[in-house]
Amino acid sequence: MKNIVLGIMVLFVALSTQAQEKKKKNAKYDIEVNGNCEQCKKRIEKAAFSVAGVKSAEWHIDNHILHLIINEEKCSVLDVEKAVAKIGHDTDKVKAEDGVYAKLHSCCLYERK
């Protein structure tokens, strides 16, 4: 009887560890970030790099996409989106506060959705 209970416990532990999602150290993501110019590019990339775990951040003016490589053990995409919104740029999931957006340079005031 002890062997059966022990076997069931080992099986349960083995199955539960496989069900856990593994976090990647070099996960790639693309997120939309609103902006207009080179000043926006510098500001957005600086905000992304301020999040611990961001390995690469490159924002493209032409399509408004921020290409990220992050260590998911240290941060999430949502952490990066919050950091970018905190400096005045809207993302897919996080909108910047109106007061912060209003303080952006005039050339950086993008059309908000």
Side-chain angles (χ1 to χ4, degrees):
M1 183 69 176
K2 286 183 180 180
N3 289 339
I4 294 173
V5 172
L6 183 60
I8 291 172
M9 288 177 56
V10 169
L11 180 64
F12 177 74
V13 170
L15 291 175
S16 66
T17 57
Q18 287 183 358
Q20 294 177 357
E21 183 180 329
K22 291 191 175 187
K23 298 199 180 250
K24 297 178 184 177
K25 290 190 177 184
N26 288 317
K28 295 180 180 180
Y29 293 97
D30 292 336
I31 59 174
E32 184 177 345
V33 179
N34 292 323
N36 290 331
C37 62
E38 285 293 325
Q39 286 182 17
C40 295
K41 177 179 173 62
K42 289 177 186 176
R43 189 181 311 109
I44 291 166
E45 291 174 356
K46 183 177 179 180
F49 278 117
S50 73
V51 178
V54 173
K55 294 183 173 185
S56 174
E58 187 176 348
W59 184 74
H60 296 273
I61 295 171
D62 57 343
N63 60 9
H64 298 173
I65 299 296
L66 176 62
H67 300 286
L68 292 171
I69 299 176
I70 64 171
N71 180 344
E72 290 182 318
E73 294 175 349
K74 295 183 179 179
C75 71
S76 68
V77 175
L78 187 57
D79 295 334
V80 177
E81 290 192 50
K82 287 178 182 178
V84 169
K86 191 174 181 178
I87 53 117
H89 293 273
D90 296 342
T91 69
D92 292 339
K93 297 177 184 160
V94 183
K95 186 176 178 183
E97 292 181 15
D98 293 335
V100 178
Y101 169 77
K103 291 180 183 177
L104 292 176
H105 190 272
S106 61
C107 73
C108 298
L109 296 175
Y110 52 89
E111 186 176 325
R112 295 184 98 177
K113 296 177 184 176

